[in-house]
């Protein structure tokens, strides 16, 4: 019960406030709650009874002096007995009047008694209904609106029931019991038929459900088998792709090999190995200059390397033609190549030199160049024996090369010769050697 009370902190000590049981807002009670008299308290606390049937009467002369109020309903009656109002005469009270309405609290009345009376009143009101008290004015208005709506709905429903009851009471129909019994039998027979049909349908349903379960199990097995087949298919597909990639790689390698083979078949080994060209006044073989000029003193290492490449070229052409030189044997040995004289007990004639003062008194280098030119002349004669139409651009004889355009001859010896003429003679020699290389390449291209 103390949940209805709120002891304020900002109010004077000892003051107690009631709160609304819905919105919990503090309430200010009417002054009449503090000055309730015994008659009002008796009316509120009077019990409800259910006598058999009594009319609404007011017995003012009964010994009990009570007012009886009857609430009639269809089958239930409620009667509240309220004690009679005590009679206070002016003589008994000593004041010459009867106290009606509000009465001020007596000076000796304690706060605890008034509080207890208020709490008991609210408990009585809450116990006689489904609503907790006290309530504020707004909550009370909302509650009254709700109760009015419920009351109206109950009255409308009661009216509908009364109208239907009157209709049933006023309507009298002749009931054919035989027809009703026949209709009942037909309905029972129809019920039995429907039950039998229901049992049959349920049996079919069970059969169908069993078939569905079997099909689901079979579908599950098929799904697992399908997954297994897809995995196998993916594995085979992966292997196929790998094999296709490998086949494509092999095809590419084969195509590349065939392309390289075709290129190599069409490639002239001598032209690729020995590139004879010119650089200004110099004849070159594989980039090495053969000769020297006063204005361009070529290093002897480069000249020796050029003589080594030249000796190797003539040696290779002779081997290709199965030609064996007379009087000399050509020995290609890089930048230290030489010739051996067959008539002088394998005397070595070096095709290399280091220059210097001693060089001008050493005739072996000149003899070696003359011997090389003799070997080249033998190569020319061997070619002309096989092909009468072959002719070198420059005539060679006894260590000299003749320019067919001017008729001048240039010696391949360096002693007692100018460097310009010696360089030109070597250039003409390389030109003749290039022509011989071209003829051998054309004759032995497919061999």
């Amino acid at each position: 019960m103390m949940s209805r009370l709120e002891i304020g902190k900002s109010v004077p000590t000892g003051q107690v406030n009631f709160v609304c049981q819905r919105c919990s807002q503090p309430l200010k009670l009417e002054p009449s709650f503090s000055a309730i008299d015994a008659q009002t308290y008796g009316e509120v606390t009077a019990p409800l009874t259910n006598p058999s049937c009594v009319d609404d009467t007011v017995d003012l002369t009964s010994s009990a002096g009570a007012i009886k109020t009857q609430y009639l309903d269809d089958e239930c009656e409620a009667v509240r007995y309220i004690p009679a109002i005590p009679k206070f005469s002016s003589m008994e009270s000593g004041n010459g009047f009867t106290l009606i309405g509000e009465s001020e609290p007596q000076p000796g009345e304690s706060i605890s008694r008034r509080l207890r009376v208020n709490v008991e009143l609210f408990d009585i009101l809450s116990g006689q209904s489904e609503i907790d008290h006290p309530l504020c004015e707004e909550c009370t208005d909302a509650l009254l609106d709700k109760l009015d709506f419920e009351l109206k709905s109950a009255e409308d429903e009661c009216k509908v029931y009364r109208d239907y009851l009157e209709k049933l009471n006023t309507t009298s129909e002749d009931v054919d019991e035989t027809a009703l019994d026949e209709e009942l039998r037909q309905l029972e027979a129809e019920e039995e038929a429907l039950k039998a049909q229901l049992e049959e349908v349920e049996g079919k349903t069970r059969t169908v459900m069993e078939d569905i379960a079997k099909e689901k199990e079979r579908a599950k097995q098929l799904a697992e088998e399908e997954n297994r087949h897809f995995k196998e298919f993916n594995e085979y597909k992966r292997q196929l792709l790998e094999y296709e990639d490998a086949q494509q790689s092999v095809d590419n390698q084969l195509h590349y090999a065939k392309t390289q083979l075709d290129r190599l078949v069409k490639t002239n080994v001598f032209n690729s190995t020995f590139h004879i060209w010119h650089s200004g006044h110099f004849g070159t073989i594989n980039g090495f200059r053969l000769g020297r000029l006063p204005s361009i003193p070529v290093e002897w290492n480069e000249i020796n390397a050029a003589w080594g490449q030249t000796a190797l070229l003539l040696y290779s052409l002779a081997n290709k033609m199965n030609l064996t030189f007379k009087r000399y044997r050509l020995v290609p040995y890089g930048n230290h190549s030489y010739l051996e004289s067959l008539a002088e007990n394998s005397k070595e004639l070096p095709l290399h030199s280091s220059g210097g003062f001693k060089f001008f008194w050493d005739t072996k280098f000149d003899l070696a160049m003359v011997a090389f030119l003799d070997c080249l002349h033998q190569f020319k004669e061997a070619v002309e024996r096989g092909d009468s139409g072959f002719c070198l651009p420059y005539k060679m004889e006894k260590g000299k090369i003749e320019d067919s355009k001017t008729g001048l001859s240039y010696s391949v010896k360096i002693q007692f010769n100018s460097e310009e003429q010696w360089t030109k003679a070597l250039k003409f020699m390389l030109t003749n050697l290039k022509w011989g290389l071209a003829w051998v390449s054309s004759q032995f291209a497919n061999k």
Side-chain angles (χ1 to χ4, degrees), residues 174-207:
D174 295 335
V175 179
D176 189 356
E177 294 182 358
T178 305
L180 290 177
D181 293 339
E182 182 65 22
E183 183 178 0
L184 179 60
R185 285 193 296 272
Q186 292 178 358
L187 292 175
E188 290 177 350
E190 184 177 358
E191 181 182 5
E192 294 295 331
L194 291 176
K195 286 182 178 180
Q197 185 177 0
L198 178 61
E199 291 179 357
E200 182 180 0
V201 171
E202 289 179 350
K204 292 181 179 180
T205 302
R206 286 192 295 272
T207 304

Side-chain angles (χ1 to χ4, degrees), residues 195-406:
K195 286 182 178 180
Q197 185 177 0
L198 178 61
E199 291 179 357
E200 182 180 0
V201 171
E202 289 179 350
K204 292 181 179 180
T205 302
R206 286 192 295 272
T207 304
V208 171
M209 294 302 294
E210 292 175 358
D211 294 339
I212 290 175
K214 293 179 180 179
E215 292 299 326
K216 286 183 177 180
E217 184 65 24
R218 185 167 178 269
K220 182 179 179 181
Q221 295 177 357
L222 291 175
E224 294 177 355
E225 186 175 356
E226 182 183 10
N227 292 333
R228 186 173 64 256
H229 289 333
F230 271 118
K231 290 180 180 179
E232 294 177 357
F233 171 77
N234 292 334
E235 179 63 22
Y236 293 148
K237 186 69 174 178
R238 183 187 64 80
Q239 295 179 3
L240 177 61
L241 292 176
E242 289 180 355
Y243 294 149
E244 288 179 351
D245 292 341
Q247 180 66 31
Q248 186 66 32
S249 177
V250 172
D251 292 342
N252 293 335
Q253 294 177 6
L254 180 61
H255 177 71
Y256 177 76
K258 287 182 178 179
T259 303
Q260 292 294 103
L261 178 61
D262 294 339
R263 188 176 65 84
L264 292 175
V265 167
K266 295 177 182 179
T267 300
N268 190 296
V269 178
F270 291 105
N271 289 332
S272 299
T273 308
F274 304 100
H275 179 66
I276 298 175
W277 198 241
H278 62 86
S279 176
H281 297 285
F282 299 96
T284 62
I285 179 169
N286 291 339
F288 298 111
R289 291 172 293 182
L290 190 59
R292 60 186 289 150
L293 296 174
S295 59
I296 306 175
V298 181
E299 295 290 336
W300 281 105
N301 289 332
E302 183 177 352
I303 296 172
N304 294 336
W307 270 117
Q309 294 293 314
T310 305
L312 180 61
L313 173 58
L314 184 57
Y315 177 82
S316 301
L317 294 177
N319 285 340
K320 194 68 176 178
M321 294 176 60
N322 295 322
L323 173 64
T324 302
F325 296 115
K326 299 176 182 179
R327 297 180 295 277
Y328 301 101
R329 187 171 73 88
L330 190 60
V331 181
Y333 199 62
N335 58 354
H336 286 77
S337 301
Y338 59 92
L339 291 90
E340 290 182 352
S341 176
L342 301 178
E344 299 181 10
N345 297 325
S346 300
K347 180 182 179 181
E348 291 186 5
L349 302 176
L351 274 174
H352 57 87
S353 177
S354 60
F357 179 78
K358 186 179 178 180
F359 164 74
F360 294 99
W361 301 102
D362 188 3
T363 60
K364 288 184 178 181
F365 184 52
D366 285 345
L367 293 176
M369 289 186 288
V370 172
F372 183 85
L373 194 63
D374 181 65
C375 292
L376 182 57
H377 189 267
Q378 294 180 46
F379 170 78
K380 169 184 171 292
E381 290 176 348
V383 172
E384 288 177 349
R385 283 194 299 269
D387 186 1
S388 59
F390 178 76
C391 180
L392 294 177
Y394 300 102
K395 184 179 179 181
M396 297 174 292
E397 185 179 1
K398 296 180 180 181
K400 292 183 179 181
I401 297 179
E402 181 182 344
D403 187 359
S404 59
K405 294 181 181 180
T406 61

Side-chain angles (χ1 to χ4, degrees), residues 62-121:
S62 63
S63 60
I67 300 175
K68 294 187 294 180
T69 303
Q70 181 182 16
Y71 300 95
L72 296 178
D73 202 347
D74 296 335
E75 295 180 356
C76 182
E77 298 172 350
V79 178
R80 171 171 287 174
Y81 293 91
I82 303 174
I85 300 173
K87 297 179 181 179
F88 297 97
S89 63
S90 59
M91 296 299 293
E92 294 175 347
S93 62
N95 296 324
F97 61 91
T98 302
L99 181 62
I100 299 175
E102 295 183 1
S103 60
E104 295 295 331
Q106 299 299 325
E109 188 176 12
S110 65
I111 297 177
S112 61
R113 181 182 177 281
R114 292 198 302 270
L115 181 61
R116 185 175 63 255
V117 171
N118 293 336
V119 172
E120 290 178 358
L121 290 175

Side-chain angles (χ1 to χ4, degrees), residues 10 275 418:
S10 60
H275 179 66
S418 64

